[in-house]
């Protein structure tokens, strides 16, 4: 087997040649019109916003670093600008049931105009109605009615008085009412005179008075009926006068709104209600004389007074808007979504009416687009359910959370649901999307369009030029200094490193924009008119310096001997593995000592990390795979008679992933073959059951972590690292690592099989199996097979001794 040669320096960090960029500075480059590397997402957005069918709302998934928010805002703004402005949303009183205000939709901008017209009409009515009721014509007609009723009453009283006088009786008025008394010489007969009359005369007079008293009682009893009739005729007269006054004002306003049936219908309803009860337009004294047929406490309890009941409340005003609305709600709570009903404290009570209704994001986004962040939405009580209910019903019902949950017992409003025709665009991480898709059956029915943001884009073709245009756009938008072609090339190389693939570039535009801002700062500090490659490199180095505290401390602990990792010499059963630590915004590699021990056993390999619940399932799977590899290679004729243990030395936290399984397998083979492993080499990679080394993540950071340790101790020229051959395309190493490799002070090897790795790490050929099943003499595999055979022999001898001992005990 041929040992792989070190990789050439050119493959460790594919360069972007500044000369390949057709410009001197970004001032000569047209800014990128579309989001960087998001052609697929833009197609999905165009489809989702264009299709007008139920359930085709959108979920935009991807990281914020990929410019999720900017992409959505830009795409929606461009589309919304071409769409019509939706109507204004107003609420008016339902005069049949004040607790259920009615929806009134008017063309964009006409809601306020209608409100002003109605307010002006109410002002006119406030003047016209009292003027009509106080006018000479109305007063004359009122006096005529009153005179007619009074004459009828006085006529009955005069007839009774005349009849009484014919019988010698007179009708007198007393403080207690009317009374009948006998006459004498044209005057009321004194009591003593009446008592002195003969009994026959007294009886005659008393009989006459009794007969007249019954007639007087009938006349007095009829008086309330006459008064009631008078009041009814006065009301009818007032209604007739009011209707004439109201008709003039309302009909004039209605004529201006004849093209809006809903507005005209409301004006006619106002007309009928005012005619039935004009009291809100009368002064208190007049209102008392002509009391309303009904009165609600809330009308006078809120600012605006009784006339408030007739006003138009504009909830959503589209005046001045161009195109469909694009609403982004950063705090999607229940009231911020569906609206709310506000209250005023009045004399210890909470009062409200339709003029205290407030629109939510759904009402404001009607006819356009509503953008919500999924995680923020899901953390708000009942907001997600309210959104789904509104989308299913295609209308928005404004109610408090207490009403929704049945916890509010205060008398409140129940407004008519407002029609809803909006596109909801949810944005969030892929984990949130998967959770909703798996556990909410309504999610798939409502959000049928998935917009999946790409995290990277191809480096070949127009990739570098697209980067240059992106840089040019940020420079123009934020007023940065122009970037020269060398700086753009450095940004392209950083993009490849962030993508973790030399053939691709990162589409994390937020991170890229931050790098541009930081490089611009370094250029300005240096007094440079343009940003160069050195400024980009300084920005990258400064960022790593700011975030590298943990990395530096771990390196210090290793150099001081607290953490044991050797970079010289050889050791049996010990391999330098490579791991990546994620410190939030910064990931870095560090070497880790992996050790293996073997003894006589039953062919099992124990993962010590798993035994103490520090090993994750993927790591444990990797150990089981290497166990299967050993069994298949060396245990084809019978079970293996060894017991192996594997450990990450000085590991005090969880260990996850299978990227150390190749190192663990080499450590086991070293322990079985009793061959020392070079400590000046480190290795990363997973392994399959056939011994092939598989790609892993973070290879650049891992190799740099071992390089930093070797460099701190002094590069000897023999040090290096091994990685899977399939990971070579992912390399984007730092300049200092590439320079060391070019100078022959550090090497990087790509291995395709575990045998190649073993041969590099031990310096002994791995060996091949001959036709007779034996391995190349002196090879690693031959030594492992011999050791396992020795273990098997010892196992058989031990079993024979146990049988003999058992036979003696039985005898």
């Amino acid at each position: 087997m041929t040992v792989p040669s070190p990789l050439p320096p050119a493959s460790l960090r594919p360069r972007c040649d500044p000369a390949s960029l057709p410009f001197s500075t970004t001032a000569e480059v047209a800014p990128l019109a579309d989001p960087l590397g998001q052609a697929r997402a833009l197609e999905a957005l165009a489809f989702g916003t264009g299709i007008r069918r139920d359930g085709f709302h959108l979920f935009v998934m991807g990281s914020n670093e990929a410019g999720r928010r900017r992409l959505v805002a830009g795409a929606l703004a461009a589309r919304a600008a071409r769409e019509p402005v939706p109507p204004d949303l107003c609420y008016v009183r339902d005069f049949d049931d004040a607790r259920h205000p009615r929806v009134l939709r008017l063309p964009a901008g006409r809601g306020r105009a209608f409100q002003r017209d109605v307010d002006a009409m109410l002002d006119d009515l406030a003047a016209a109605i009292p003027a009509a009721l106080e006018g000479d014509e109305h007063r004359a007609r009122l006096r005529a009615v009153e005179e007619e009723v009074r004459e009828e009453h006085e006529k009955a009283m005069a007839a009774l008085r005349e009849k009484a006088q014919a019988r010698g009786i007179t009708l007198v008025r007393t403080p207690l009412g009317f009374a009948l008394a006998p006459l004498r010489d044209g005057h009321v007969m004194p009591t003593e005179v009446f008592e002195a009359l003969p009994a026959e005369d007294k009886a005659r007079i008393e009989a006459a008075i009794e007969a007249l008293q019954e007639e007087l009682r009938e006349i007095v009893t009829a008086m309330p009926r006459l008064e009631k009739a008078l009041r009814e005729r006065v009301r009818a007269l007032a209604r007739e006068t009011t209707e004439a006054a109201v008709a003039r004002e309302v009909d004039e306003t209605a004529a201006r709104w004849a093209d809006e049936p809903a507005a005209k219908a409301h004006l006619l309803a106002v007309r009928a209600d005012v005619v039935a009860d004009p009291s809100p337009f009368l002064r208190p004294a007049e209102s008392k004389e002509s009391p309303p047929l009904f009165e609600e406490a809330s009308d006078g309890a809120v600012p605006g007074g009784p006339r408030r009941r007739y006003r138009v409340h504009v909830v959503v005003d589209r005046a001045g808007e161009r195109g469909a609305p694009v609403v982004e709600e950063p705090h999607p709570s229940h009231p911020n979504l569906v609206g709310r009903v506000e209250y005023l404290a009045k004399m210890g009570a909470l009062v409200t009416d339709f003029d205290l209704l407030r629109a939510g994001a759904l009402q404001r986004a009607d006819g356009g687009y509503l953008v919500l962040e999924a995680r923020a939405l899901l953390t708000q009580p009942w907001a997600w359910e309210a959104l789904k209910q509104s989308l299913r019903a295609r209308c928005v019902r404004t109610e408090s959370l207490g009403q929704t949950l049945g916890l509010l017992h205060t008398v409140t409003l129940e407004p008519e649901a407002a029609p809803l025709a909006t596109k909801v665009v949810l944005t969030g991480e892929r984990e949130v999307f998967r959770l909703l898709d798996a556990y909410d059956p309504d999610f798939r029915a409502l959000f049928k369009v998935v917009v999946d943001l790409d995290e990277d884009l191809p480096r070949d073709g127009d990739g570098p030029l697209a980067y240059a245009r992106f840089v040019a756009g940020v420079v123009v938008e934020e007023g940065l200094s122009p970037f020269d072609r060398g700086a753009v090339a450095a940004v392209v190389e950083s993009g490849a490193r962030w993508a973790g693939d030399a053939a691709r570039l990162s589409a994390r535009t937020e991170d890229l924009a931050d790098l541009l801002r930081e490089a611009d700062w370094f250029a300005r500090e240096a007094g440079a008119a343009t940003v160069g490659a050195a400024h980009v490199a300084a920005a990258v180095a400064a960022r790593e310096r700011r975030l590298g505290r943990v990395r530096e401390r771990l390196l210090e602990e290793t150099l001081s001997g607290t953490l044991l990792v050797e970079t010289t010499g050889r050791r049996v059963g010990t391999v330098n593995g490579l791991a990546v630590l994620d410190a939030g915004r910064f990931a870095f590699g560090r070497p880790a000592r992996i050790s293996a021990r073997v003894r006589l056993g039953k062919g099992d390999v124990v993962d010590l990390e798993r035994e103490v619940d520090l090993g994750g399932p993927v790591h444990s799977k990797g150990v089981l795979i290497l166990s299967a590899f050993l069994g298949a290679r060396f245990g084809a004729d019978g079970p293996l008679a060894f017991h192996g243990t594997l450990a990450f030395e000085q590991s005090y936290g969880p260990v996850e992933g299978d990227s150390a399984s190749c190192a663990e397998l080499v450590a086991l083979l070293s322990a079985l073959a009793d061959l020392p492993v070079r400590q000046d080499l480190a290795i990363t990679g997973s392994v399959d059951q056939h011994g092939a080394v598989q790609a892993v993540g973070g290879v650049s950071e891992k190799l740099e972590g071992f390089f930093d340790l070797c460099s701190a101790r002094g590069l000897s020229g023999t040090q290096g690292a091994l990685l899977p051959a399939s990971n070579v395309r992912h390399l984007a190493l730092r300049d200092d690592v590439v320079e060391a490799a070019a100078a022959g002070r550090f090497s990087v090897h790509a291995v395709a099989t575990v045998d190649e790795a073993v041969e590099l790490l031990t310096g002994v050929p791995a060996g091949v199996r001959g036709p007779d099943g034996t391995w190349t003499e002196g090879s690693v595999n031959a030594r492992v097979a011999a050791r396992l055979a020795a273990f098997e022999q010892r196992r058989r001898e031990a079993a024979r001794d146990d049988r003999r001992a058992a036979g003696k005990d039985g005898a």
Side-chain angles (χ1 to χ4, degrees):
M1 178 180 298
T2 303
V3 177
S5 300
L7 294 175
S11 63
L12 303 183
R13 183 186 179 95
R15 298 290 183 179
C16 177
D17 185 5
S20 66
L21 300 175
F23 56 86
S24 297
T25 71
T26 53
E28 305 169 10
V29 180
L32 192 64
D34 294 328
L36 181 64
Q38 301 299 341
R40 184 206 322 271
L42 290 175
E43 290 175 9
L45 272 171
F47 168 75
T49 54
I51 186 170
R52 297 293 176 178
R53 299 292 180 184
D54 290 345
F56 281 84
H57 301 282
L58 300 88
F59 192 103
V60 181
M61 62 176 178
S63 65
N64 281 324
E65 291 80 4
R68 185 179 67 205
R69 182 176 179 181
R70 180 187 293 266
L71 180 144
V72 170
L76 294 184
R79 184 171 188 89
R82 304 191 301 268
E83 297 179 350
V85 181
D88 291 346
L89 176 64
C90 309
Y91 271 98
V92 294
R93 187 187 188 94
D94 185 340
F95 300 111
D96 295 328
D97 188 351
R99 293 184 62 241
H100 297 85
R102 295 187 299 105
V103 167
L104 180 63
R105 287 159 63 91
L106 295 172
R110 300 200 70 188
R112 290 293 180 196
F114 186 57
Q115 183 187 59
R116 288 192 294 270
D117 279 0
V118 171
D119 287 345
M121 181 190 74
L122 295 177
D123 291 339
D124 293 340
L125 288 177
I129 293 176
L133 294 178
E134 295 172 5
D136 294 340
E137 180 182 355
H138 177 73
R139 289 184 179 275
R141 296 179 65 186
L142 187 62
R143 283 194 299 271
V145 171
E146 293 173 347
E147 186 66 25
E148 181 180 345
V149 174
R150 185 165 51 253
E151 287 179 357
E152 183 178 351
H153 174 68
E154 290 178 353
K155 182 179 180 181
M157 295 298 292
L160 179 64
R161 187 178 292 110
E162 183 178 351
K163 186 175 182 179
Q165 288 178 350
R167 298 183 182 185
I169 306 296
T170 185
L171 181 65
V172 297
R173 184 184 296 271
T174 69
L176 299 178
F178 291 98
L180 294 169
L183 288 174
R184 186 169 185 173
D185 300 330
H187 299 284
V188 176
M189 184 184 295
T191 303
E192 59 275 13
V193 174
F194 178 77
E195 292 296 334
L197 291 175
E200 293 180 359
D201 291 342
K202 289 171 62 176
R204 178 181 55 78
I205 292 173
E206 289 177 348
I209 289 175
E210 182 66 27
L212 293 171
Q213 187 70 38
E214 182 63 28
E215 293 185 29
L216 176 62
R217 187 179 298 111
E218 292 179 359
I219 293 174
V220 171
T221 303
M223 287 180 62
R225 291 196 298 272
L226 291 175
E227 291 177 354
K228 181 178 180 181
L230 173 62
R231 288 195 300 272
E232 291 178 351
R233 293 182 65 182
V234 168
R235 286 183 178 179
L237 180 59
R239 185 178 295 111
E240 182 181 344
T241 302
T242 300
E243 185 171 9
V246 170
R248 287 193 300 271
E249 304 298 338
V250 174
D251 290 351
E252 180 181 347
T253 304
R256 292 197 295 271
W257 291 90
D259 58 335
E260 295 295 336
K264 184 176 181 180
H266 174 65
L267 292 172
L268 296 179
V270 169
R271 171 179 170 175
D273 192 73
V274 173
V275 169
D277 177 21
S279 59
F281 298 91
L282 303 179
R283 288 182 284 273
E286 295 169 346
S287 180
K288 186 178 296 184
E289 291 176 5
S290 184
L293 299 181
F294 65 91
E295 182 175 341
E296 296 188 16
S298 65
D299 283 339
V302 292
R307 283 164 48 195
R308 185 187 186 96
R309 63 191 281 126
Y310 302 114
R311 296 193 69 231
V312 175
H313 177 38
V314 182
V315 178
V316 179
D317 182 13
R318 307 286 186 192
E321 293 186 8
R322 294 184 177 180
V326 178
V327 178
E328 182 177 359
E329 177 53 62
H331 182 57
S333 63
H334 184 275
N336 286 355
L337 274 182
V338 303
R340 64 188 184 277
V341 181
E342 294 182 345
Y343 295 85
L344 294 175
K346 186 70 174 180
M347 300 180 64
L350 294 177
V351 296
T352 187
D353 75 349
F354 71 94
D355 214 23
L356 292 175
L357 289 173
R358 299 294 177 260
L362 283 168
Q363 290 97 330
R364 298 198 308 273
D366 179 42
Y369 305 91
L370 175 60
V371 183
L372 300 171
E373 207 284 316
R375 189 182 296 272
L377 176 68
L378 294 172
T379 57
Q380 294 296 324
W382 219 253
W384 173 238
E385 291 300 323
L387 175 64
K388 292 193 297 181
Q389 290 171 5
S390 299
L391 295 181
R392 283 196 298 263
R394 296 182 62 81
C395 62
V396 188
R397 189 173 300 280
T398 301
E399 59 183 4
S400 68
L401 188 55
Q403 286 177 273
T404 301
L405 300 178
L407 302 177
L408 184 66
H409 303 293
T410 302
V411 175
T412 186
L413 299 178
E414 296 179 5
E416 180 185 359
L420 180 64
T422 186
K423 276 285 184 182
V424 176
V425 181
L426 280 184
T427 66
E429 296 80 8
R430 290 179 174 82
E431 293 79 5
V432 177
F433 172 82
R434 285 192 286 267
L435 287 172
L436 286 171
D437 199 48
Y439 295 108
D440 191 330
D442 298 326
F443 178 71
R444 186 169 295 189
L446 292 174
F447 292 87
K448 297 180 180 180
V449 182
V450 178
V451 181
D452 193 357
L453 271 63
D454 282 304
E455 300 292 331
D456 50 41
L457 64 150
R459 183 173 180 175
D460 57 357
D462 295 333
L465 186 56
Y467 251 48
R469 296 183 63 190
F470 171 78
V471 173
V474 177
V475 166
V476 172
E477 183 178 345
E478 303 196 11
L480 307 182
S481 299
F483 280 58
D484 64 24
R485 65 176 67 182
V488 174
V491 173
V492 170
E493 292 179 8
S494 295
R497 179 178 173 85
W498 289 341
D501 190 337
R504 302 193 69 82
L505 298 173
S506 173
R508 292 156 51 188
T509 53
E510 293 301 320
D511 288 342
L512 286 170
D514 285 342
L515 177 60
L516 301 182
R517 299 177 187 116
E518 294 166 16
D520 174 74
W521 184 87
F522 279 99
R524 292 178 186 273
E525 286 293 298
T530 59
V531 181
H535 303 128
V536 177
V540 172
R543 179 182 294 187
E544 292 185 359
R545 167 69 176 166
R546 292 194 301 270
L547 301 174
R549 184 187 64 84
V550 176
R551 179 183 65 180
E552 292 177 4
R553 290 299 305 274
L554 288 173
L555 181 59
E556 290 173 5
E557 294 296 317
T558 307
L559 293 174
S560 67
T562 303
L563 298 177
L564 300 179
V565 177
E566 298 178 357
T567 55
T568 59
R570 295 171 176 264
R571 186 177 292 274
V572 175
T574 302
V575 175
N576 288 330
L578 297 173
V580 171
L581 296 184
D582 190 346
R585 300 184 183 182
F586 181 57
F588 60 92
R590 63 175 292 260
R593 193 180 215 184
I594 298 173
S595 64
R597 298 300 298 271
V598 295
R599 59 177 174 83
L600 184 65
K602 298 180 180 179
D604 51 340
V605 178
V606 176
D607 175 15
L608 296 183
E609 311 300 325
R610 179 178 176 82
E611 292 298 310
V612 294
D613 294 329
L614 288 178
V618 178
H619 178 261
S620 299
K621 176 186 175 183
V623 174
L624 293 175
I625 287 175
L626 67 87
S627 299
F629 167 79
L630 290 174
R633 173 168 286 191
F634 301 106
D637 297 329
L640 301 179
F642 83 103
H643 175 85
T645 56
L646 290 169
F648 270 75
E649 302 294 352
Q650 294 183 295
S651 171
Y652 307 106
V655 176
E656 180 58 311
D658 62 352
S659 64
S661 59
C662 187
E664 291 170 326
L665 180 53
V666 171
L668 271 176
L669 293 173
S670 169
L672 287 169
D674 197 24
L675 280 172
V677 173
R678 291 174 59 182
Q679 301 300 292
D680 55 357
L681 294 177
I683 183 172
T684 184
S686 67
V687 66
D688 67 11
Q689 295 187 88
H690 300 282
V693 180
Q694 303 170 134
V696 294
V699 289
S700 294
E701 291 82 0
K702 291 175 180 178
L703 270 60
E704 290 168 354
F706 189 64
F707 172 82
D708 289 340
L709 178 59
C710 295
S711 179
R713 287 176 173 170
L715 294 175
S716 63
T718 63
Q719 295 151 333
L722 285 66
L723 79 160
S726 53
N727 270 134
V728 173
R729 59 170 292 179
H730 303 130
L731 285 175
L733 296 175
R734 295 194 314 250
D735 287 338
D736 55 343
V737 183
V738 178
E739 291 170 1
R745 294 182 291 119
F746 191 81
S747 59
V748 178
H749 301 267
V751 295
T753 66
V754 69
D755 288 333
E756 292 178 356
V758 167
E759 194 162 330
L760 275 168
L761 290 167
T762 63
V764 177
V768 295
R769 191 194 297 269
D772 57 353
T774 61
W775 294 91
T776 303
E777 185 177 354
S779 65
V780 175
N781 284 316
R783 295 174 67 116
V784 171
R787 184 75 178 278
L788 291 174
F791 278 144
E792 175 62 19
Q793 182 62 32
R794 288 172 55 191
R795 184 189 68 78
R796 291 177 179 176
E797 291 174 355
R800 186 168 57 250
D801 292 343
D802 288 343
R803 288 195 298 272
R804 288 176 180 175
K808 290 179 180 180
D809 291 342

